[in-house]
Amino acid sequence: MNISGTSILSKRVSNGVNTKKILDDFKKQGARIETRTRVKLSGKKDFSLWYTPGVAVASTYLAKHPKEAREMSVKKNSVAVVSDGSAVLGLGNIGPYGALPVMEGKALIFKSIAGVDAWPLVLDTQDPDEIVRIVKAIAPSFGGINLEDIAAPKCFDIEKRLVAELDIPVMHDDQHGTAIVVLAGLMNAAKVVKKNMKGLKVVISGAGAAGTAVAKLLRASGIRDIILLDRAGTIYAGRPELNTHKKELAALTNPRKVKGGLAEAMEGSDVFIGVSGKGLLKTEHVASMAPRSIVFAMANPEPEILPDEAKKAGALVIATGRSDFPNQINNALVFPGIFRGALDRGVKKITEATKLRAARALAALVPKPSVTKIIPDLLDPRVMKAVARAVH
Amino acid sequence: MNISGTSILSKRVSNGVNTKKILDDFKKQGARIETRTRVKLSGKKDFSLWYTPGVAVASTYLAKHPKEAREMSVKKNSVAVVSDGSAVLGLGNIGPYGALPVMEGKALIFKSIAGVDAWPLVLDTQDPDEIVRIVKAIAPSFGGINLEDIAAPKCFDIEKRLVAELDIPVMHDDQHGTAIVVLAGLMNAAKVVKKNMKGLKVVISGAGAAGTAVAKLLRASGIRDIILLDRAGTIYAGRPELNTHKKELAALTNPRKVKGGLAEAMEGSDVFIGVSGKGLLKTEHVASMAPRSIVFAMANPEPEILPDEAKKAGALVIATGRSDFPNQINNALVFPGIFRGALDRGVKKITEATKLRAARALAALVPKPSVTKIIPDLLDPRVMKAVARAVH
């Protein structure tokens, strides 16, 4: 496992946040979520109903009518937040225990924002076949599966197989949560810069889980000129040594077959979307963009470029993943509502159409977007419901 | 899957309980447990601490110090209630959905009685190797594993492997919860009938998960004359076609090498312990026991013999698994306290010594046992704490 993220983090956190204080808070707090009983168990009657012998009636019934578990068990309102810890935040492959606080944090958000009963399940394996088998095996207890922080490219196949084989919604949030919120932000950013969405020239730095899903959803929204970059530069059809996943991306993107690095890709572009790493975007890259450019620098914990630098270099609308700058592009705007909607309506697949609707619904919550306000606030109570309504 | 338990159940439930009413209650109720947030998430500060970027501090720390997850995550207070649905209550192999209400009921009891955050995990596989792999893989999120309603003999190997390979407590409750509460009841029953524990002649009907564990724990308590019966009759060394598990039992029990069926085993015995099936024990069997006999008829939902019949036939102390008769021998007296104690003290193995201590602690809560009071009440608030104190 690679724990090299640590040094980046300590630096980042030392810029204003007290690492030791945070760690103490986590230690003092212990668990951030717990279970709560929804029925009384205070007398023999309660035991007889909800445990033995009453429970045998429900068991006998569900053995015969398994689909009704959705209505009469924890399955009704629950989501497993599953990770193998192979790609956690900006920290990399830090394993199940490293991933646990993040998954617990997501469970906390699920409950706080959407009333969804989510339980963190971090896995002590990173083998894709094992992960698929495990998630399939534990699925009967849950109404949905939120995959999280699983590294690309294995995350694509894992999700695809689970979506195909399970009859509950399965979503890898790093992919689709990110893609939905990026598309929503971009819709409003395009309004601010007065450019037509479909004509945007978009550069995506990072071809992992998030970058791939963003590219696909932007394409589904009608945008055609998208260039993806990985560590080796722009992805184009015919580039040597592309894996299957990247071959697919090459076929879908980069219609002008731009070769080279960020410098080549960025020249004349309208939009930069960073899901890559700290400081990768230089001011000269931004300066080479088309007028009225849009920069989403979403690397965590440190963005590809700091907002004031991007602004100085000429960008008009700037977003990051951070709460201490305007325009926070955060998955928490999306995943609670997606699963709330799916659970409420028994939706089994989160389709491309659903994602587009969710992005539009999210964007519509900011009817008059501005340079510093392209996306609703995380705490805006309308957000979860608007996204949930898009899931049908 | 065998859902033949249904007819037994409907009959049983029609004796006084309204099946339709119970089913309606379950349907109306939906989930019986949910999650609850233990921290506020109402402002940006809360998000920054418990989610991003704060959570990265905890993640980085736990990646380096995984053992501290016990103190600063859901692992601190959580138990997975895991079943493959292969041996549910008296209903048999009814699969994961059939098992779900029982596991959810146990999660409810865990929280109500012991404040333990338990989540039901029913598995869509019945393969022992798969079950071991899955439980090992999900273990990082949990502080303990309660295996439940897994059929014998595979349950023995599954539990043994998990106990050996995990560093959190693993207990198959059908085995050890039952064994502990039976031993506790028997200690007090022996006082009532004024017989020495170690000299008791004990017959155990049923050599599955519960029967096996009861035999082993009674033996560990010093009792030597124990005869186990399965469908083929008494188990004795040299009986043809014994599997590995039953060969082991044969070596540990039946020192008088009694052959035959219940009639042969029961003659002159002091104690009958039924973990088998409805109506198996006949009045003539009870009549053939030694004077001042003890009958624990614990088959669910219908006991091996009804208490008034056993009494008429001469039994002095009678217990069942049911709440509508005196002396309810119920695992819920044990499992909440076992895991409470293990979680509180970081105990990693539930040893034979722990089980003996727990049984003694439970028995001691009824200092003056009588024919109708050999075991504390399920709702006695001292029970959980007394059992928990025994775990160290």
Side-chain angles (χ1 to χ4, degrees):
Chain A
M1 278 179 270
N2 154 28
I3 318 189
S4 70
T6 317
S7 57
I8 303 178
L9 182 80
S10 0
K11 215 190 243 172
R12 185 238 177 290
V13 169
S14 66
N15 297 341
V17 195
N18 184 333
T19 309
K20 194 179 166 306
K21 169 78 168 64
I22 292 175
L23 193 57
D24 285 347
D25 282 346
F26 272 85
K27 286 184 175 180
K28 214 182 297 165
Q29 175 55 39
R32 273 82 66 204
I33 58 158
E34 62 182 345
T35 63
R36 182 170 172 274
T37 60
R38 301 186 73 236
V39 295
K40 261 191 321 151
L41 207 64
S42 51
K44 283 207 171 183
K45 270 197 172 174
D46 303 327
F47 268 92
S48 299
L49 173 59
W50 303 120
Y51 199 49
T52 170
V55 72
V57 176
S59 285
T60 306
Y61 183 78
L62 285 183
K64 284 190 190 167
H65 310 279
K67 288 192 177 164
E68 303 220 13
R70 266 205 72 226
E71 290 307 319
M72 45 186 286
S73 77
V74 285
K75 193 176 182 77
K76 188 180 175 83
N77 195 48
S78 67
V79 166
V81 183
V82 178
S83 181
D84 69 346
S86 58
V88 180
L89 300 172
L91 305 171
N93 184 0
I94 60 171
Y97 293 99
L100 186 49
V102 180
M103 305 313 131
E104 195 172 336
K106 291 206 70 162
L108 182 60
I109 290 173
F110 262 121
K111 187 68 180 192
S112 296
I113 293 185
V116 168
D117 302 314
W119 198 260
L121 284 182
V122 290
L123 304 183
D124 195 10
T125 176
Q126 299 195 334
D127 177 78
D129 292 331
E130 280 270 281
I131 294 171
V132 169
R133 273 202 296 272
I134 290 164
V135 174
K136 282 175 64 180
I138 57 109
S141 305
F142 295 97
I145 305 287
N146 183 133
L147 301 174
E148 193 71 24
D149 289 357
I150 298 176
K154 72 177 174 185
C155 63
F156 304 117
D157 187 49
I158 290 171
E159 187 193 42
K160 194 173 161 189
R161 288 164 66 186
L162 289 172
V163 166
E165 296 180 38
L166 287 175
D167 67 347
I168 54 175
V170 176
M171 185 176 92
H172 185 207
D173 184 49
D174 306 71
Q175 290 184 65
H176 311 295
T178 310
I180 293 167
V181 69
V182 164
L183 176 57
L186 192 55
M187 286 169 169
N188 282 339
K191 278 194 196 174
V192 174
V193 302
K194 299 196 170 69
K195 294 189 187 182
N196 180 277
M197 274 289 284
K198 292 189 182 175
L200 293 175
K201 289 183 178 173
V202 178
V203 175
I204 302 175
S205 170
T212 299
V214 169
K216 289 186 176 175
L217 194 63
L218 294 192
R219 208 174 176 282
S221 82
I223 300 175
R224 283 293 166 270
D225 197 331
I226 301 168
I227 302 175
L228 272 154
L229 294 106
D230 59 13
R231 282 191 182 79
T234 65
I235 293 174
Y236 54 88
R239 197 181 89 177
E241 293 177 35
L242 287 179
N243 64 24
T244 319
H245 150 63
K246 288 188 181 164
K247 271 186 194 150
E248 192 199 337
L249 286 177
L252 288 173
T253 60
N254 202 350
R256 290 181 284 124
K257 309 236 179 293
V258 174
K259 295 178 187 181
L262 254 183
E264 289 75 11
M266 289 295 287
E267 200 174 335
S269 68
D270 300 294
V271 180
F272 170 83
I273 294 170
V275 283
S276 41
K278 176 193 175 185
L280 284 178
L281 194 68
K282 307 297 174 198
T283 48
E284 56 266 33
H285 297 146
V286 178
S288 77
M289 294 175 80
R292 307 190 317 282
S293 63
I294 297 166
V295 170
F296 288 6
M298 303 187 296
N300 259 320
E302 290 281 353
E304 284 81 358
I305 188 168
L306 285 169
D308 53 350
E309 290 178 28
K311 194 175 176 182
K312 270 186 229 158
L316 187 53
V317 179
I318 301 152
T320 69
R322 280 165 63 158
S323 57
D324 49 351
F325 298 121
N327 298 328
Q328 187 185 11
I329 303 287
N330 191 311
N331 295 18
L333 287 162
V334 174
F335 69 79
I338 292 283
F339 281 95
R340 179 73 277 151
L343 289 169
D344 287 349
R345 289 185 206 90
V347 170
K348 292 173 183 171
K349 313 273 178 201
I350 309 304
T351 63
E352 219 68 358
T354 299
K355 292 176 220 164
L356 291 172
R357 276 197 303 272
R360 280 185 214 113
L362 201 52
L365 294 178
V366 186
K368 290 182 184 169
S370 68
V371 165
T372 53
K373 181 75 178 178
I374 57 167
I375 199 84
D377 193 85
L378 256 182
L379 298 163
D380 183 333
R382 302 169 305 159
V383 167
M384 189 281 287
K385 286 178 188 170
V387 173
R389 272 193 302 268
V391 183
H392 51 77
Chain B
M1 278 181 267
N2 154 29
I3 318 190
S4 70
T6 318
S7 58
I8 303 177
L9 183 81
S10 0
K11 213 189 238 172
R12 186 241 176 286
V13 168
S14 67
N15 296 340
V17 196
N18 184 332
T19 309
K20 191 176 170 308
K21 170 81 169 59
I22 292 176
L23 194 56
D24 285 348
D25 283 346
F26 272 85
K27 286 184 175 180
K28 212 181 300 165
Q29 174 56 39
R32 273 81 68 203
I33 59 159
E34 62 183 343
T35 62
R36 182 171 172 274
T37 60
R38 301 185 73 236
V39 295
K40 262 191 320 152
L41 207 63
S42 49
K44 283 209 171 182
K45 270 198 173 173
D46 304 328
F47 268 92
S48 299
L49 173 59
W50 303 122
Y51 199 50
T52 174
V55 72
V57 176
S59 285
T60 307
Y61 183 78
L62 286 183
K64 284 189 189 167
H65 309 281
K67 288 191 176 165
E68 304 220 15
R70 266 205 70 228
E71 291 307 319
M72 45 186 283
S73 77
V74 284
K75 194 176 181 76
K76 188 180 173 83
N77 195 47
S78 67
V79 166
V81 183
V82 178
S83 181
D84 69 347
S86 58
V88 180
L89 300 173
L91 305 172
N93 184 359
I94 59 172
Y97 293 99
L100 186 49
V102 180
M103 304 314 130
E104 195 171 337
K106 292 205 69 163
L108 182 60
I109 291 172
F110 262 119
K111 188 68 179 191
S112 297
I113 294 185
V116 168
D117 302 314
W119 198 262
L121 284 182
V122 291
L123 304 182
D124 195 11
T125 176
Q126 299 196 332
D127 176 78
D129 292 330
E130 280 271 281
I131 294 171
V132 169
R133 272 200 298 270
I134 291 164
V135 175
K136 281 175 65 180
I138 57 107
S141 303
F142 295 97
I145 306 287
N146 183 132
L147 301 174
E148 194 71 25
D149 290 358
I150 298 176
K154 72 177 174 187
C155 63
F156 303 118
D157 187 47
I158 290 170
E159 187 193 41
K160 195 173 160 187
R161 287 164 66 187
L162 289 172
V163 167
E165 295 179 37
L166 288 175
D167 67 346
I168 54 174
V170 177
M171 184 175 92
H172 184 206
D173 184 49
D174 306 71
Q175 291 185 64
H176 311 295
T178 310
I180 293 166
V181 68
V182 164
L183 176 57
L186 192 54
M187 285 168 169
N188 283 339
K191 278 194 195 173
V192 174
V193 303
K194 299 195 170 69
K195 293 188 185 181
N196 180 278
M197 275 288 284
K198 292 189 183 176
L200 293 175
K201 290 183 176 171
V202 177
V203 174
I204 301 174
S205 171
T212 299
V214 169
K216 289 185 176 176
L217 194 62
L218 295 191
R219 208 172 175 282
S221 82
I223 300 176
R224 283 293 166 268
D225 198 329
I226 300 167
I227 302 174
L228 272 155
L229 293 105
D230 60 13
R231 283 191 180 81
T234 65
I235 292 173
Y236 54 88
R239 199 181 89 177
E241 293 176 36
L242 288 181
N243 64 24
T244 318
H245 151 63
K246 288 188 180 165
K247 271 186 192 151
E248 191 200 338
L249 285 177
L252 289 173
T253 61
N254 202 350
R256 289 181 285 124
K257 310 235 178 291
V258 174
K259 295 177 187 179
L262 253 184
E264 289 76 10
M266 289 294 288
E267 201 174 335
S269 67
D270 301 294
V271 180
F272 170 83
I273 294 169
V275 281
S276 41
K278 177 192 174 185
L280 283 178
L281 193 68
K282 305 300 173 195
T283 49
E284 56 266 32
H285 297 144
V286 179
S288 77
M289 294 175 83
R292 308 191 315 284
S293 63
I294 298 164
V295 169
F296 287 6
M298 302 186 298
N300 259 321
E302 291 279 353
E304 285 81 357
I305 189 167
L306 285 168
D308 54 351
E309 289 178 30
K311 192 174 177 184
K312 272 186 224 155
L316 188 52
V317 179
I318 301 152
T320 70
R322 281 167 61 160
S323 57
D324 49 350
F325 298 122
N327 297 328
Q328 187 188 10
I329 302 290
N330 190 309
N331 294 19
L333 288 161
V334 173
F335 68 78
I338 291 285
F339 281 95
R340 180 72 276 152
L343 289 169
D344 287 348
R345 287 183 208 92
V347 170
K348 291 173 184 173
K349 313 273 177 200
I350 309 303
T351 62
E352 219 67 0
T354 299
K355 293 176 217 161
L356 292 171
R357 276 197 304 272
R360 281 187 212 110
L362 201 52
L365 295 177
V366 186
K368 289 181 184 170
S370 68
V371 164
T372 53
K373 184 75 178 177
I374 58 167
I375 200 85
D377 193 87
L378 255 183
L379 298 163
D380 183 333
R382 302 170 305 158
V383 166
M384 189 281 286
K385 287 178 188 171
V387 173
R389 272 194 301 269
V391 183
H392 52 75

